């Protein structure tokens, strides 16, 4: 299933439809996106106990004020931490899937902190197993090894995208060349580039 047409035809709300009332990557922002008919781009990290938390940064400091890494927190700690604007809890991917329920396209960005761990894509795929409208799902990452793993182990299940940036922190000269020249696609073997 490499059909990416649902995402080309439908505008995506980046981290949900957030504003001065709704935090980015919050359930309220996702509900607002669904109500307006927008697809959703969101970010997922694995917690220390293997839950998928929906938050952009590897630290929750910017969105909560608490200086903690998602990868070192349990789901109970994540659920007890409130977002700055709405005071909602940081949602899990499972909660977001329940809200969206296949009504709009969903673009899931895997956040790979440090070395790639296949538990991240495995956890995402396990949650999507009984999700309605799987033709409205795509998965992407900046990490080419995460996308390559999906392309190799779950070929054609969903469109898999290689994210490209020239300004990623910590890249050496070779990695910068690979991204800038788009040669990174030969490692990841993606369905699309973004």
């Amino acid at each position: 299933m490499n059909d990416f047409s649902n995402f080309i035809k439908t505008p995506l709300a980046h981290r949900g439809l957030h504003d001065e009332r709704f935090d980015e990557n919050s359930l309220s922002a996702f509900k607002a996106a669904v109500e307006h008919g927008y697809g959703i781009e969101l970010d997922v990290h694995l917690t220390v106990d293997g839950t998928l938390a929906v938050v952009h940064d590897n630290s929750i400091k910017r969105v909560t004020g608490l200086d903690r890494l998602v990868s070192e927190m349990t789901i109970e700690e994540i659920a007890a931490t409130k977002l700055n604007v709405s005071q909602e809890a940081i949602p899990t991917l499972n909660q977001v899937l329940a809200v969206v329920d296949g009504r709009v396209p969903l673009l899931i960005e895997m956040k790979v902190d440090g070395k790639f761990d296949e538990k991240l894509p495995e956890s995402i795929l396990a949650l999507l197993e009984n999700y309605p409208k799987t033709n409205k799902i795509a998965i992407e990452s900046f990490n080419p090894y995460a996308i390559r793993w999906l392309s190799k182990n779950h070929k054609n299940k969903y469109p898999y995208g290689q994210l490209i940036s020239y300004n990623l922190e910590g890249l050496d000269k070779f990695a910068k060349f690979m991204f800038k020249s788009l040669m990174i696609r030969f490692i990841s073997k993606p369905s699309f580039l973004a």
Side-chain angles (χ1 to χ4, degrees):
M1 176 184 299
N2 288 325
D3 182 12
F4 199 56
S5 61
N6 284 319
F7 294 88
I8 294 171
K9 295 175 186 173
T10 306
L12 294 177
H14 188 241
R15 303 181 198 165
L17 197 56
H18 55 94
D19 56 19
E20 66 281 346
R21 298 170 300 145
F22 306 137
D23 299 270
E24 66 179 52
N25 279 326
S26 67
L27 286 180
S28 293
F30 299 136
K31 287 175 186 174
V34 170
E35 288 168 8
H36 286 85
Y38 294 125
I40 296 167
E41 181 275 346
L42 57 78
D43 311 280
V44 294
H45 290 265
L46 268 178
T47 62
V48 71
D49 51 4
T51 302
L52 292 162
V54 180
V55 59
H56 180 269
D57 304 345
N58 62 352
S59 166
I60 61 170
K61 185 174 185 177
R62 182 176 59 83
V63 295
T64 68
L66 184 63
D67 194 7
R68 297 278 311 273
L69 295 176
V70 177
S71 61
E72 296 176 354
M73 298 178 74
T74 65
I75 190 53
E76 289 80 16
E77 292 171 319
I78 290 279
T81 305
K82 305 302 178 200
L83 294 167
N84 289 331
V85 176
S86 64
Q87 295 300 298
E88 293 178 46
I90 294 170
T92 64
L93 181 57
N94 201 36
Q95 291 170 319
V96 175
L97 293 175
V99 164
V100 176
D101 196 33
R103 293 179 287 169
V104 297
L106 196 56
L107 181 56
I108 301 169
E109 181 181 341
M110 294 184 296
K111 293 294 196 171
V112 178
D113 303 322
K115 188 178 176 196
F116 168 64
D117 183 346
E118 60 192 45
K119 285 184 211 167
L120 177 59
E122 285 176 346
S123 298
I124 293 169
L125 293 174
L127 278 182
L128 294 174
E129 191 114 339
N130 297 313
Y131 186 72
K133 305 277 187 175
T134 55
N135 65 330
K136 291 187 177 182
I137 296 284
I139 303 171
E140 64 183 4
S141 182
F142 281 106
N143 187 298
Y145 301 104
I147 297 304
R148 181 175 71 185
W149 186 90
L150 282 167
S151 298
K152 180 180 175 187
N153 294 289
H154 297 278
K155 187 175 183 169
N156 299 327
K157 187 157 186 136
Y158 301 104
Y160 305 124
Q162 176 65 60
L163 288 167
I164 303 291
S165 177
Y166 309 137
N167 300 318
L168 294 174
E169 292 180 24
L171 291 183
D172 60 27
K173 285 183 179 182
F174 179 72
K176 285 182 184 179
F177 165 77
M178 292 296 285
F179 275 100
K180 192 168 187 172
S181 66
L182 302 181
M183 298 291 281
I184 201 80
R185 73 187 191 282
F186 293 114
I187 295 173
S188 55
K189 305 201 182 320
S191 308
F192 65 95
L193 299 171

